[in-house]
Amino acid sequence: MAVQKIKENIYSVGAIDWDRRLFDQLIPLPHGTSYNSYLIEGSEKTVLIDAVYLKKWDDLRSNLETLKVDRIDYIVSNHSEPDHSGTIPYLLEIYPEAQILTNSKCKDLLISQLKIDESKITVVDNDTEISTGDKTLKFMMAPWVHWPDTMFTYVPEDKIIFTTDFMGSHLATSDLFVKNEWIVYEAAKRYYAEIMMPFRAHVKKYTRQLKEMDIEIIATSHGPIYDKPEFIINAYTDWSSDEQKGEVIIPYVSMYESTAKMVTYLADRLIEKGIKTTLFNLPETDLGELATYMVDATTVVMGASMVLAGPHPSAIYAASIINALRPKARFLTTVGSFGWADKLGEKLSEQIKDLMPSLKVESLTPVLVKGSPTEEAYRKLDELADEIFNKHRQVMEKRVALN
Ligand code: FEO
Protein backbone atom coordinates (compact mmCIF):
# COMPACT_ATOMS: atom_id res chain seq x y z
CA MET A 1 0.00 0.00 0.00
CA ALA A 2 1.37 3.33 -0.93
CA VAL A 3 1.46 6.14 1.60
CA GLN A 4 -1.87 7.97 1.65
CA LYS A 5 -2.67 11.19 3.50
CA ILE A 6 -5.67 11.11 5.81
CA LYS A 7 -5.43 14.54 7.43
CA GLU A 8 -2.70 17.09 7.92
CA ASN A 9 0.28 15.12 9.29
CA ILE A 10 -1.69 11.88 9.60
CA TYR A 11 -0.89 9.18 7.04
CA SER A 12 -1.87 5.62 6.21
CA VAL A 13 1.38 3.61 6.00
CA GLY A 14 0.18 0.01 6.23
CA ALA A 15 0.03 -2.85 3.72
CA ILE A 16 -2.55 -4.40 1.42
CA ASP A 17 -2.57 -8.21 1.22
CA TRP A 18 -4.21 -8.77 -2.16
CA ASP A 19 -3.42 -12.51 -2.22
CA ARG A 20 -4.33 -13.74 1.24
CA ARG A 21 -7.25 -16.18 1.09
CA LEU A 22 -7.32 -17.64 4.61
CA PHE A 23 -7.03 -16.06 8.03
CA ASP A 24 -6.15 -17.99 11.19
CA GLN A 25 -6.13 -21.07 8.92
CA LEU A 26 -9.89 -20.88 9.27
CA ILE A 27 -11.58 -17.76 7.89
CA PRO A 28 -11.94 -17.50 4.09
CA LEU A 29 -10.85 -14.12 2.68
CA PRO A 30 -12.52 -13.85 -0.74
CA HIS A 31 -11.38 -10.24 -1.13
CA GLY A 32 -7.96 -10.33 0.58
CA THR A 33 -7.34 -7.93 3.45
CA SER A 34 -5.14 -5.08 4.64
CA TYR A 35 -3.09 -4.40 7.76
CA ASN A 36 -3.55 -0.71 8.40
CA SER A 37 -0.89 1.26 10.19
CA TYR A 38 -0.98 5.01 10.74
CA LEU A 39 1.70 7.63 11.20
CA ILE A 40 1.00 10.79 13.18
CA GLU A 41 3.60 13.51 12.86
CA GLY A 42 2.98 15.76 15.83
CA SER A 43 4.83 19.06 16.13
CA GLU A 44 7.08 17.49 18.79
CA LYS A 45 6.59 13.71 18.71
CA THR A 46 6.04 11.13 15.99
CA VAL A 47 3.66 8.24 16.61
CA LEU A 48 2.93 5.01 14.78
CA ILE A 49 -0.50 3.50 15.45
CA ASP A 50 -0.21 -0.29 15.16
CA ALA A 51 2.15 -2.18 12.85
CA VAL A 52 1.58 -4.82 10.18
CA TYR A 53 1.75 -8.57 9.62
CA LEU A 54 5.28 -10.00 9.53
CA LYS A 55 5.11 -10.88 5.83
CA LYS A 56 4.34 -7.23 5.00
CA TRP A 57 7.29 -5.67 6.81
CA ASP A 58 8.84 -4.44 3.55
CA ASP A 59 5.70 -2.42 2.80
CA LEU A 60 5.70 -0.67 6.17
CA ARG A 61 9.43 0.00 6.12
CA SER A 62 9.24 1.36 2.59
CA ASN A 63 6.34 3.67 3.49
CA LEU A 64 8.23 5.05 6.48
CA GLU A 65 11.23 5.64 4.22
CA THR A 66 9.02 7.47 1.73
CA LEU A 67 7.95 9.84 4.50
CA LYS A 68 11.58 10.13 5.64
CA VAL A 69 10.70 9.10 9.17
CA ASP A 70 14.01 9.11 11.06
CA ARG A 71 12.53 8.92 14.54
CA ILE A 72 9.44 7.34 16.09
CA ASP A 73 8.76 8.36 19.69
CA TYR A 74 5.74 6.17 20.35
CA ILE A 75 4.34 2.98 18.86
CA VAL A 76 0.73 2.58 19.98
CA SER A 77 -0.31 -1.07 20.12
CA ASN A 78 -4.10 -1.17 20.23
CA HIS A 79 -4.18 -4.97 19.99
CA SER A 80 -1.43 -7.57 20.16
CA GLU A 81 -2.64 -10.07 17.56
CA PRO A 82 0.37 -10.62 15.28
CA ASP A 83 -1.29 -9.19 12.16
CA HIS A 84 -0.89 -5.80 13.88
CA SER A 85 2.05 -6.37 16.19
CA GLY A 86 4.29 -8.89 14.41
CA THR A 87 6.64 -6.25 13.02
CA ILE A 88 7.03 -4.21 16.23
CA PRO A 89 10.38 -5.91 17.02
CA TYR A 90 11.66 -4.87 13.56
CA LEU A 91 10.51 -1.30 14.20
CA LEU A 92 12.35 -1.27 17.51
CA GLU A 93 15.57 -2.22 15.74
CA ILE A 94 15.29 0.75 13.38
CA TYR A 95 13.77 3.14 15.93
CA PRO A 96 15.36 2.07 19.26
CA GLU A 97 14.15 5.23 20.99
CA ALA A 98 10.50 4.30 20.43
CA GLN A 99 8.37 3.55 23.46
CA ILE A 100 5.37 1.25 23.07
CA LEU A 101 2.13 2.62 24.49
CA THR A 102 -0.44 -0.01 25.35
CA ASN A 103 -2.68 -1.35 28.12
CA SER A 104 -1.55 -3.83 30.75
CA LYS A 105 -3.18 -6.88 29.13
CA CYS A 106 -1.74 -6.05 25.74
CA LYS A 107 1.67 -5.54 27.36
CA ASP A 108 1.48 -9.03 28.81
CA LEU A 109 0.59 -10.51 25.41
CA LEU A 110 3.23 -8.52 23.52
CA ILE A 111 5.89 -9.82 25.90
CA SER A 112 4.71 -13.42 25.68
CA GLN A 113 4.31 -13.41 21.89
CA LEU A 114 7.14 -11.18 20.73
CA LYS A 115 9.56 -11.34 23.67
CA ILE A 116 9.69 -7.56 23.81
CA ASP A 117 11.69 -6.14 26.68
CA GLU A 118 9.34 -4.87 29.40
CA SER A 119 11.28 -1.60 29.67
CA LYS A 120 10.17 -0.70 26.14
CA ILE A 121 6.50 -0.62 27.14
CA THR A 122 4.57 2.15 28.89
CA VAL A 123 1.14 1.18 30.16
CA VAL A 124 -1.76 3.54 29.42
CA ASP A 125 -5.37 3.57 30.58
CA ASN A 126 -8.57 5.58 30.11
CA ASP A 127 -7.10 8.55 32.02
CA THR A 128 -3.82 8.76 30.10
CA GLU A 129 -3.17 11.66 27.75
CA ILE A 130 0.00 11.84 25.69
CA SER A 131 0.92 15.08 23.96
CA THR A 132 2.73 15.03 20.65
CA GLY A 133 2.87 18.83 20.60
CA ASP A 134 -0.09 19.91 18.53
CA LYS A 135 -1.97 16.60 18.78
CA THR A 136 -3.08 14.59 21.81
CA LEU A 137 -3.43 10.83 22.18
CA LYS A 138 -6.29 9.66 24.38
CA PHE A 139 -7.02 6.02 25.06
CA MET A 140 -10.26 4.12 25.44
CA MET A 141 -10.03 0.64 26.88
CA ALA A 142 -12.27 -1.66 24.83
CA PRO A 143 -11.57 -5.24 25.88
CA TRP A 144 -13.18 -8.16 24.07
CA VAL A 145 -13.58 -6.83 20.58
CA HIS A 146 -12.22 -9.34 20.02
CA TRP A 147 -9.33 -10.09 22.40
CA PRO A 148 -9.03 -9.15 26.08
CA ASP A 149 -6.34 -6.60 25.14
CA THR A 150 -8.17 -4.38 22.66
CA MET A 151 -8.25 -0.59 23.04
CA PHE A 152 -8.96 2.46 20.88
CA THR A 153 -6.82 5.59 20.42
CA TYR A 154 -8.46 8.98 19.90
CA VAL A 155 -6.94 12.21 18.61
CA PRO A 156 -9.41 14.95 19.61
CA GLU A 157 -7.77 17.73 17.55
CA ASP A 158 -8.50 15.76 14.37
CA LYS A 159 -11.62 13.93 15.63
CA ILE A 160 -10.13 10.64 14.46
CA ILE A 161 -10.33 7.36 16.37
CA PHE A 162 -8.22 4.28 15.70
CA THR A 163 -10.28 1.22 16.62
CA THR A 164 -8.01 -1.69 15.61
CA ASP A 165 -10.19 -4.64 14.41
CA PHE A 166 -13.45 -3.11 15.64
CA MET A 167 -15.65 -2.10 12.67
CA GLY A 168 -13.03 -3.32 10.19
CA SER A 169 -13.40 -5.40 7.05
CA HIS A 170 -11.28 -7.94 5.23
CA LEU A 171 -11.10 -6.04 1.99
CA ALA A 172 -8.06 -5.40 -0.17
CA THR A 173 -8.70 -2.09 -1.90
CA SER A 174 -6.74 0.98 -2.90
CA ASP A 175 -9.61 3.12 -1.58
CA LEU A 176 -8.35 4.89 1.53
CA PHE A 177 -11.88 5.89 2.51
CA VAL A 178 -15.09 3.98 1.90
CA LYS A 179 -16.27 4.78 -1.62
CA ASN A 180 -18.66 1.96 -2.49
CA GLU A 181 -20.78 1.54 0.64
CA TRP A 182 -22.53 -1.57 -0.65
CA ILE A 183 -19.25 -3.47 -1.10
CA VAL A 184 -17.91 -2.36 2.28
CA TYR A 185 -21.22 -3.09 4.00
CA GLU A 186 -21.08 -6.71 2.86
CA ALA A 187 -17.40 -7.10 3.81
CA ALA A 188 -17.87 -5.41 7.19
CA LYS A 189 -20.94 -7.53 7.99
CA ARG A 190 -19.01 -10.68 7.16
CA TYR A 191 -16.16 -9.45 9.36
CA TYR A 192 -18.57 -8.62 12.19
CA ALA A 193 -20.08 -12.13 11.91
CA GLU A 194 -16.73 -13.91 11.90
CA ILE A 195 -14.87 -11.86 14.49
CA MET A 196 -17.18 -9.68 16.60
CA MET A 197 -20.48 -11.56 16.88
CA PRO A 198 -19.38 -13.77 19.82
CA PHE A 199 -18.82 -10.51 21.77
CA ARG A 200 -22.14 -8.86 20.92
CA ALA A 201 -22.68 -7.32 24.36
CA HIS A 202 -19.31 -5.57 24.19
CA VAL A 203 -19.95 -4.54 20.59
CA LYS A 204 -23.21 -2.86 21.62
CA LYS A 205 -21.50 -1.00 24.45
CA TYR A 206 -18.61 0.37 22.38
CA THR A 207 -20.85 1.22 19.43
CA ARG A 208 -23.01 3.34 21.75
CA GLN A 209 -19.89 5.03 23.14
CA LEU A 210 -18.55 5.86 19.69
CA LYS A 211 -21.95 7.24 18.70
CA GLU A 212 -21.76 9.73 21.55
CA MET A 213 -18.23 10.90 20.74
CA ASP A 214 -17.21 13.74 18.46
CA ILE A 215 -15.75 11.67 15.61
CA GLU A 216 -15.17 12.51 11.95
CA ILE A 217 -13.06 9.49 11.01
CA ILE A 218 -13.01 5.89 12.23
CA ALA A 219 -9.72 4.31 11.19
CA THR A 220 -9.73 0.54 11.59
CA SER A 221 -6.84 -1.86 11.15
CA HIS A 222 -8.43 -3.80 8.25
CA GLY A 223 -10.15 -2.43 5.16
CA PRO A 224 -10.99 1.13 4.09
CA ILE A 225 -11.54 3.77 6.76
CA TYR A 226 -14.75 5.62 7.46
CA ASP A 227 -15.07 9.35 6.83
CA LYS A 228 -18.82 9.03 7.38
CA PRO A 229 -18.78 7.27 10.78
CA GLU A 230 -22.57 7.04 10.96
CA PHE A 231 -22.48 4.47 8.12
CA ILE A 232 -20.64 1.84 10.15
CA ILE A 233 -22.06 2.92 13.52
CA ASN A 234 -25.60 2.43 12.19
CA ALA A 235 -24.67 -0.94 10.69
CA TYR A 236 -23.07 -2.13 13.94
CA THR A 237 -26.08 -0.88 15.92
CA ASP A 238 -28.33 -2.99 13.68
CA TRP A 239 -26.20 -6.14 13.59
CA SER A 240 -25.61 -6.22 17.34
CA SER A 241 -29.16 -5.35 18.42
CA ASP A 242 -31.44 -7.80 20.21
CA GLU A 243 -34.04 -7.35 17.51
CA GLN A 244 -35.02 -10.52 15.64
CA LYS A 245 -35.23 -10.33 11.84
CA GLY A 246 -37.20 -13.54 11.44
CA GLU A 247 -34.88 -15.24 8.96
CA VAL A 248 -34.13 -18.96 8.68
CA ILE A 249 -30.81 -20.55 7.75
CA ILE A 250 -30.56 -24.19 6.75
CA PRO A 251 -26.99 -25.48 6.68
CA TYR A 252 -27.20 -29.05 5.44
CA VAL A 253 -25.25 -32.02 4.19
CA SER A 254 -26.84 -34.82 2.21
CA MET A 255 -25.11 -38.01 1.11
CA TYR A 256 -27.82 -39.57 -1.07
CA GLU A 257 -30.22 -36.65 -1.65
CA SER A 258 -32.76 -37.63 1.03
CA THR A 259 -31.81 -34.83 3.43
CA ALA A 260 -31.48 -32.46 0.44
CA LYS A 261 -35.06 -33.23 -0.64
CA MET A 262 -36.30 -32.62 2.88
CA VAL A 263 -34.58 -29.29 3.46
CA THR A 264 -35.50 -28.04 -0.02
CA TYR A 265 -39.14 -28.93 0.62
CA LEU A 266 -39.07 -27.19 4.00
CA ALA A 267 -37.41 -24.10 2.50
CA ASP A 268 -40.12 -23.86 -0.16
CA ARG A 269 -42.87 -24.03 2.48
CA LEU A 270 -41.15 -21.32 4.55
CA ILE A 271 -40.67 -19.09 1.52
CA GLU A 272 -44.37 -19.50 0.70
CA LYS A 273 -45.08 -18.13 4.17
CA GLY A 274 -42.97 -15.07 3.46
CA ILE A 275 -40.00 -16.17 5.60
CA LYS A 276 -36.57 -15.34 4.24
CA THR A 277 -34.82 -18.71 4.08
CA THR A 278 -31.32 -19.54 2.91
CA LEU A 279 -29.87 -22.99 2.23
CA PHE A 280 -26.17 -23.79 2.60
CA ASN A 281 -24.91 -27.05 1.11
CA LEU A 282 -22.13 -27.45 3.67
CA PRO A 283 -19.43 -29.35 1.76
CA GLU A 284 -19.50 -26.56 -0.85
CA THR A 285 -20.29 -23.61 1.42
CA ASP A 286 -18.08 -20.64 2.14
CA LEU A 287 -18.35 -20.63 5.93
CA GLY A 288 -17.86 -16.85 5.98
CA GLU A 289 -21.08 -16.51 3.99
CA LEU A 290 -22.89 -18.82 6.39
CA ALA A 291 -21.57 -16.71 9.28
CA THR A 292 -22.88 -13.54 7.62
CA TYR A 293 -26.38 -15.01 7.39
CA MET A 294 -26.19 -16.04 11.05
CA VAL A 295 -26.33 -12.34 12.01
CA ASP A 296 -30.02 -12.06 11.09
CA ALA A 297 -31.13 -15.66 11.65
CA THR A 298 -33.94 -16.32 14.10
CA THR A 299 -34.05 -20.07 13.40
CA VAL A 300 -31.30 -22.52 12.52
CA VAL A 301 -32.43 -25.72 10.85
CA MET A 302 -29.52 -28.13 10.67
CA GLY A 303 -29.93 -30.59 7.81
CA ALA A 304 -27.83 -33.61 8.64
CA SER A 305 -27.43 -37.07 7.31
CA MET A 306 -25.61 -39.63 9.45
CA VAL A 307 -22.20 -41.21 9.13
CA LEU A 308 -21.94 -44.37 11.21
CA ALA A 309 -23.54 -43.49 14.56
CA GLY A 310 -23.32 -39.70 14.44
CA PRO A 311 -24.01 -36.60 12.38
CA HIS A 312 -22.05 -36.20 9.14
CA PRO A 313 -18.67 -34.55 9.91
CA SER A 314 -19.61 -31.52 7.76
CA ALA A 315 -22.60 -30.93 10.04
CA ILE A 316 -20.40 -31.35 13.13
CA TYR A 317 -17.91 -28.81 11.79
CA ALA A 318 -20.63 -26.31 10.91
CA ALA A 319 -22.28 -26.79 14.31
CA SER A 320 -19.00 -26.11 16.08
CA ILE A 321 -18.56 -22.89 14.04
CA ILE A 322 -22.12 -21.77 14.82
CA ASN A 323 -21.57 -22.54 18.48
CA ALA A 324 -18.34 -20.51 18.54
CA LEU A 325 -19.90 -17.49 16.81
CA ARG A 326 -22.92 -17.40 19.16
CA PRO A 327 -25.56 -15.93 16.89
CA LYS A 328 -28.67 -14.47 18.54
CA ALA A 329 -30.93 -17.14 16.96
CA ARG A 330 -33.83 -18.18 19.17
CA PHE A 331 -34.83 -21.55 17.68
CA LEU A 332 -33.02 -24.68 16.58
CA THR A 333 -34.10 -27.93 15.00
CA THR A 334 -32.76 -30.79 12.90
CA VAL A 335 -34.02 -32.27 9.66
CA GLY A 336 -32.34 -35.32 8.22
CA SER A 337 -32.17 -38.85 7.03
CA PHE A 338 -30.44 -41.85 8.55
CA GLY A 339 -29.81 -45.22 7.05
CA TRP A 340 -29.60 -47.91 9.66
CA ALA A 341 -31.19 -48.45 13.08
CA ASP A 342 -34.11 -46.30 14.27
CA LYS A 343 -32.45 -45.77 17.65
CA LEU A 344 -29.43 -44.10 16.02
CA GLY A 345 -31.62 -41.74 14.03
CA GLU A 346 -33.59 -40.74 17.08
CA LYS A 347 -30.37 -39.46 18.66
CA LEU A 348 -29.39 -37.24 15.73
CA SER A 349 -31.29 -34.17 16.88
CA GLU A 350 -29.88 -34.34 20.43
CA GLN A 351 -26.38 -34.88 19.08
CA ILE A 352 -26.68 -31.75 16.95
CA LYS A 353 -28.06 -29.70 19.82
CA ASP A 354 -25.29 -30.90 22.14
CA LEU A 355 -22.75 -29.49 19.67
CA MET A 356 -24.13 -25.98 20.22
CA PRO A 357 -24.31 -25.44 24.00
CA SER A 358 -23.56 -21.71 23.79
CA LEU A 359 -26.73 -20.97 21.82
CA LYS A 360 -29.70 -19.76 23.88
CA VAL A 361 -32.30 -21.49 21.76
CA GLU A 362 -35.60 -23.30 22.11
CA SER A 363 -35.71 -26.66 20.34
CA LEU A 364 -38.38 -27.09 17.70
CA THR A 365 -39.74 -30.45 16.53
CA PRO A 366 -37.11 -32.34 14.51
CA VAL A 367 -38.03 -34.29 11.39
CA LEU A 368 -35.90 -37.39 10.98
CA VAL A 369 -36.59 -40.26 8.61
CA LYS A 370 -35.06 -43.62 7.85
CA GLY A 371 -33.97 -43.70 4.22
CA SER A 372 -35.75 -41.50 1.70
CA PRO A 373 -38.53 -39.13 2.80
CA THR A 374 -42.08 -40.49 2.95
CA GLU A 375 -45.43 -38.73 2.66
CA GLU A 376 -45.49 -38.80 6.46
CA ALA A 377 -42.13 -36.97 6.52
CA TYR A 378 -43.39 -34.27 4.16
CA ARG A 379 -46.48 -33.81 6.33
CA LYS A 380 -44.18 -33.34 9.35
CA LEU A 381 -42.15 -30.81 7.41
CA ASP A 382 -45.39 -28.90 6.71
CA GLU A 383 -46.02 -28.89 10.46
CA LEU A 384 -42.46 -27.74 11.15
CA ALA A 385 -42.92 -24.84 8.71
CA ASP A 386 -46.10 -23.88 10.60
CA GLU A 387 -44.26 -24.15 13.91
CA ILE A 388 -41.42 -21.91 12.71
CA PHE A 389 -43.91 -19.38 11.30
CA ASN A 390 -45.81 -19.24 14.60
CA LYS A 391 -42.66 -18.98 16.72
CA HIS A 392 -41.36 -16.16 14.55
CA ARG A 393 -44.66 -14.35 14.75
CA GLN A 394 -44.48 -14.56 18.55
CA VAL A 395 -40.99 -13.05 18.79
CA MET A 396 -41.77 -10.43 16.17
CA GLU A 397 -45.06 -9.48 17.88
CA LYS A 398 -43.21 -9.24 21.16
CA ARG A 399 -40.77 -6.90 19.49
CA VAL A 400 -43.58 -4.70 18.13
CA ALA A 401 -45.22 -4.70 21.58
CA LEU A 402 -41.95 -3.65 23.21
CA ASN A 403 -41.56 -0.82 20.73
FE1 FEO B 1 -6.67 -8.06 12.96
FE2 FEO B 1 -7.40 -9.39 15.91
O1 FEO B 1 -6.29 -8.92 14.54
Side-chain angles (χ1 to χ4, degrees), residues 23 79 81 83-84 146 165 191 221-222:
F23 204 91
H79 171 36
E81 193 164 4
D83 51 329
H84 311 297
H146 60 127
D165 288 338
Y191 188 90
S221 52
H222 296 289

